[in-house]
Coordinates of all heavy atoms in Angstrom, one line a residue:
Q319 N 2.1 -1.7 10.4 CA 0.9 -2.2 9.8 C 0.9 -3.7 9.9 O 1.9 -4.4 9.5 CB 0.7 -1.7 8.4 CG 0.4 -0.2 8.2 CD 0.4 0.2 6.8 OE1 1.1 -0.4 5.9 NE2 -0.5 1.1 6.5
R320 N -0.2 -4.3 10.3 CA -0.4 -5.7 10.3 C -0.6 -6.2 8.8 O -1.2 -5.4 8.0 CB -1.5 -6.2 11.1 CG -1.3 -5.9 12.6 CD -2.5 -6.5 13.4 NE -2.3 -6.2 14.9 CZ -3.2 -6.6 15.8 NH1 -4.3 -7.2 15.4 NH2 -3.0 -6.3 17.1
Q321 N -0.1 -7.4 8.5 CA -0.2 -7.9 7.1 C -1.4 -8.8 6.9 O -1.6 -9.7 7.7 CB 1.1 -8.6 6.8 CG 2.4 -7.8 7.0 CD 3.6 -8.7 6.8 OE1 4.1 -8.8 5.7 NE2 4.1 -9.2 7.9
R322 N -2.1 -8.5 5.8 CA -3.3 -9.3 5.5 C -3.4 -9.5 4.0 O -3.2 -8.5 3.3 CB -4.6 -8.7 6.1 CG -5.8 -9.6 5.9 CD -7.0 -9.0 6.6 NE -6.8 -9.0 8.1 CZ -7.1 -10.1 8.8 NH1 -7.6 -11.2 8.3 NH2 -6.9 -10.1 10.1
I323 N -3.8 -10.7 3.6 CA -4.1 -11.0 2.2 C -5.6 -11.5 2.1 O -6.0 -12.3 2.9 CB -3.2 -12.0 1.6 CG1 -1.7 -11.5 1.7 CG2 -3.5 -12.3 0.1 CD1 -0.7 -12.6 1.3
I324 N -6.3 -10.9 1.2 CA -7.7 -11.3 0.9 C -7.8 -11.9 -0.5 O -7.5 -11.1 -1.5 CB -8.7 -10.2 1.1 CG1 -8.7 -9.6 2.5 CG2 -10.1 -10.6 0.8 CD1 -9.6 -8.5 2.8
V325 N -8.1 -13.2 -0.6 CA -8.0 -13.8 -1.9 C -9.5 -14.2 -2.4 O -10.2 -14.8 -1.6 CB -7.2 -15.1 -1.8 CG1 -7.1 -15.8 -3.2 CG2 -5.8 -14.8 -1.3
F326 N -9.8 -13.8 -3.6 CA -11.0 -14.2 -4.2 C -10.7 -15.5 -5.1 O -9.8 -15.4 -5.9 CB -11.6 -13.1 -5.1 CG -12.2 -12.0 -4.4 CD1 -11.4 -10.9 -4.0 CD2 -13.5 -11.9 -4.1 CE1 -11.9 -9.8 -3.3 CE2 -14.1 -10.9 -3.4 CZ -13.3 -9.8 -3.0
S327 N -11.5 -16.5 -4.9 CA -11.3 -17.7 -5.7 C -12.7 -18.2 -6.3 O -13.6 -18.5 -5.5 CB -10.7 -18.8 -4.8 OG -10.6 -20.0 -5.5
C328 N -12.8 -18.2 -7.6 CA -14.0 -18.6 -8.2 C -13.8 -19.7 -9.3 O -14.6 -19.9 -10.2 CB -14.8 -17.5 -8.8 SG -13.9 -16.6 -10.2
S329 N -12.6 -20.3 -9.3 CA -12.2 -21.3 -10.3 C -11.6 -22.5 -9.6 O -11.2 -22.5 -8.5 CB -11.3 -20.7 -11.3 OG -10.1 -20.2 -10.7
P330 N -11.5 -23.6 -10.3 CA -10.9 -24.8 -9.7 C -9.5 -24.6 -9.3 O -8.7 -23.8 -9.9 CB -10.9 -25.8 -10.9 CG -12.1 -25.4 -11.8 CD -12.0 -23.9 -11.7
I331 N -9.0 -25.2 -8.2 CA -7.7 -25.0 -7.7 C -6.8 -26.1 -8.1 O -7.1 -27.3 -7.9 CB -7.8 -25.0 -6.1 CG1 -8.6 -23.8 -5.7 CG2 -6.4 -24.8 -5.5 CD1 -8.9 -23.7 -4.2
A332 N -5.7 -25.8 -8.8 CA -4.9 -26.8 -9.4 C -3.8 -27.3 -8.4 O -3.4 -28.4 -8.5 CB -4.1 -26.2 -10.6
E333 N -3.5 -26.5 -7.4 CA -2.5 -26.9 -6.4 C -3.0 -28.0 -5.5 O -4.2 -28.2 -5.3 CB -2.1 -25.7 -5.5 CG -1.2 -24.7 -6.2 CD -2.0 -23.7 -7.1 OE1 -3.3 -23.9 -7.1 OE2 -1.5 -22.8 -7.7
S334 N -2.0 -28.9 -5.1 CA -2.4 -30.0 -4.2 C -2.6 -29.5 -2.8 O -2.2 -28.4 -2.4 CB -1.3 -31.0 -4.2 OG -0.1 -30.5 -3.7
E335 N -3.3 -30.3 -2.0 CA -3.6 -29.9 -0.6 C -2.4 -29.8 0.2 O -2.2 -28.9 1.0 CB -4.6 -31.0 0.0 CG -5.0 -30.6 1.4 CD -6.0 -31.6 2.0 OE1 -6.7 -32.3 1.2 OE2 -6.0 -31.8 3.2
S336 N -1.4 -30.7 0.0 CA -0.2 -30.7 0.8 C 0.6 -29.4 0.5 O 1.2 -28.8 1.4 CB 0.7 -31.9 0.5 OG 1.0 -32.0 -0.9
A337 N 0.6 -29.0 -0.8 CA 1.4 -27.8 -1.2 C 0.7 -26.5 -0.5 O 1.4 -25.6 -0.1 CB 1.4 -27.6 -2.7
L338 N -0.6 -26.5 -0.5 CA -1.3 -25.4 0.1 C -1.0 -25.4 1.6 O -0.9 -24.3 2.2 CB -2.8 -25.4 -0.2 CG -3.2 -25.2 -1.6 CD1 -4.7 -25.3 -1.8 CD2 -2.7 -23.8 -2.1
V339 N -1.0 -26.5 2.3 CA -0.8 -26.6 3.7 C 0.6 -26.1 4.0 O 0.9 -25.3 5.0 CB -1.0 -28.0 4.2 CG1 -0.5 -28.1 5.7 CG2 -2.4 -28.4 4.1
K340 N 1.6 -26.5 3.2 CA 3.0 -26.0 3.4 C 3.1 -24.5 3.2 O 3.8 -23.8 4.0 CB 3.9 -26.7 2.4 CG 5.4 -26.4 2.6 CD 6.2 -27.2 1.6 CE 7.7 -26.9 1.7 NZ 8.5 -27.6 0.7
L341 N 2.4 -23.9 2.3 CA 2.3 -22.5 2.0 C 1.7 -21.8 3.2 O 2.1 -20.7 3.6 CB 1.6 -22.2 0.7 CG 1.4 -20.7 0.4 CD1 2.8 -20.0 0.2 CD2 0.6 -20.6 -0.9
A342 N 0.6 -22.4 3.7 CA -0.1 -21.7 4.9 C 0.8 -21.6 6.1 O 0.9 -20.6 6.8 CB -1.3 -22.6 5.2
K343 N 1.6 -22.7 6.4 CA 2.5 -22.6 7.5 C 3.6 -21.6 7.3 O 4.0 -20.9 8.3 CB 3.1 -24.0 7.7 CG 2.1 -25.1 8.2 CD 2.8 -26.4 8.3 CE 1.8 -27.5 8.8 NZ 2.4 -28.8 9.0
R344 N 4.1 -21.4 6.1 CA 5.1 -20.4 5.8 C 4.5 -19.0 6.0 O 5.2 -18.1 6.5 CB 5.6 -20.6 4.4 CG 6.8 -19.7 4.1 CD 7.2 -19.8 2.6 NE 7.2 -21.2 2.1 CZ 7.2 -21.5 0.8 NH1 7.1 -20.6 -0.1 NH2 7.3 -22.8 0.5
M345 N 3.3 -18.8 5.5 CA 2.7 -17.4 5.7 C 2.4 -17.1 7.2 O 2.6 -16.0 7.6 CB 1.4 -17.4 4.9 CG 1.5 -17.4 3.4 SD 2.3 -16.0 2.7 CE 3.9 -16.7 2.3
K346 N 2.0 -18.2 7.9 CA 1.8 -18.0 9.3 C 3.1 -17.6 10.0 O 3.1 -16.8 11.0 CB 1.2 -19.2 9.9 CG 0.8 -19.1 11.4 CD 0.2 -20.4 11.9 CE -0.2 -20.2 13.4 NZ -0.9 -21.5 13.9
K347 N 4.2 -18.2 9.6 CA 5.5 -17.9 10.2 C 5.9 -16.5 10.0 O 6.5 -15.8 10.8 CB 6.5 -18.9 9.7 CG 7.9 -18.8 10.3 CD 8.8 -19.8 9.7 CE 10.2 -19.7 10.4 NZ 11.2 -20.7 9.8
N348 N 5.4 -15.9 8.9 CA 5.8 -14.5 8.5 C 4.7 -13.5 9.1 O 4.7 -12.4 8.7 CB 5.8 -14.4 7.0 CG 7.0 -15.1 6.4 OD1 8.1 -15.3 7.1 ND2 6.9 -15.6 5.2
N349 N 3.8 -14.0 9.9 CA 2.8 -13.2 10.6 C 1.8 -12.5 9.5 O 1.5 -11.4 9.6 CB 3.4 -12.1 11.4 CG 4.2 -12.7 12.6 OD1 3.7 -13.7 13.2 ND2 5.3 -12.1 12.9
I350 N 1.5 -13.3 8.5 CA 0.5 -12.8 7.5 C -0.8 -13.6 7.6 O -0.8 -14.8 7.6 CB 1.1 -13.1 6.1 CG1 2.4 -12.3 5.9 CG2 0.1 -12.6 5.0 CD1 3.1 -12.5 4.6
S351 N -1.9 -12.8 7.8 CA -3.2 -13.4 7.8 C -3.8 -13.4 6.4 O -3.6 -12.5 5.6 CB -4.1 -12.5 8.7 OG -3.6 -12.4 10.1
I352 N -4.5 -14.5 6.1 CA -5.0 -14.7 4.8 C -6.5 -15.1 4.9 O -6.9 -16.0 5.6 CB -4.3 -15.8 4.0 CG1 -2.8 -15.4 3.9 CG2 -4.9 -16.0 2.7 CD1 -2.0 -16.5 3.1
D353 N -7.3 -14.3 4.3 CA -8.8 -14.5 4.2 C -9.1 -15.0 2.8 O -8.7 -14.5 1.8 CB -9.6 -13.3 4.5 CG -9.3 -12.7 5.9 OD1 -9.1 -13.6 6.8 OD2 -9.4 -11.5 6.1
F354 N -9.9 -16.1 2.7 CA -10.4 -16.6 1.4 C -11.9 -16.3 1.2 O -12.7 -16.6 2.1 CB -10.1 -18.1 1.4 CG -8.8 -18.5 0.7 CD1 -7.7 -18.8 1.5 CD2 -8.7 -18.5 -0.7 CE1 -6.5 -19.2 0.9 CE2 -7.5 -18.8 -1.3 CZ -6.4 -19.2 -0.5
I355 N -12.2 -15.8 0.1 CA -13.6 -15.7 -0.3 C -13.9 -16.6 -1.5 O -13.5 -16.4 -2.6 CB -13.9 -14.2 -0.8 CG1 -13.6 -13.3 0.4 CG2 -15.3 -14.1 -1.2 CD1 -13.6 -11.8 0.0
A356 N -14.5 -17.8 -1.2 CA -14.7 -18.8 -2.2 C -16.1 -18.7 -2.7 O -17.1 -18.7 -2.0 CB -14.5 -20.2 -1.5
F357 N -16.2 -18.5 -4.0 CA -17.5 -18.5 -4.7 C -17.4 -19.1 -6.1 O -16.2 -19.3 -6.5 CB -18.1 -17.0 -4.7 CG -17.3 -16.1 -5.6 CD1 -17.8 -15.7 -6.8 CD2 -16.0 -15.7 -5.2 CE1 -17.1 -14.8 -7.6 CE2 -15.3 -14.8 -6.0 CZ -15.8 -14.4 -7.2
G358 N -18.5 -19.2 -6.8 CA -18.4 -19.8 -8.1 C -18.2 -21.3 -8.1 O -19.1 -22.0 -7.8
D359 N -16.9 -21.7 -8.3 CA -16.7 -23.2 -8.3 C -16.5 -23.7 -6.9 O -15.5 -23.4 -6.2 CB -15.4 -23.5 -9.1 CG -15.1 -25.0 -9.2 OD1 -15.8 -25.6 -10.0 OD2 -14.2 -25.4 -8.5

Side-chain angles (χ1 to χ4, degrees):
Q319 292 175 325
R320 295 183 181 179
Q321 305 173 86
R322 182 175 297 275
I323 301 173
I324 299 179
V325 183
F326 288 88
S327 176
C328 64
S329 57
I331 299 174
E333 288 80 1
S334 63
E335 182 177 337
S336 59
L338 290 177
V339 170
K340 185 177 179 180
L341 177 61
K343 292 180 179 180
R344 189 188 312 167
M345 292 293 106
K346 183 178 181 180
K347 186 177 180 180
N348 293 331
N349 296 320
I350 299 177
S351 301
I352 300 180
D353 297 328
F354 265 100
I355 302 172
F357 68 108
D359 184 73

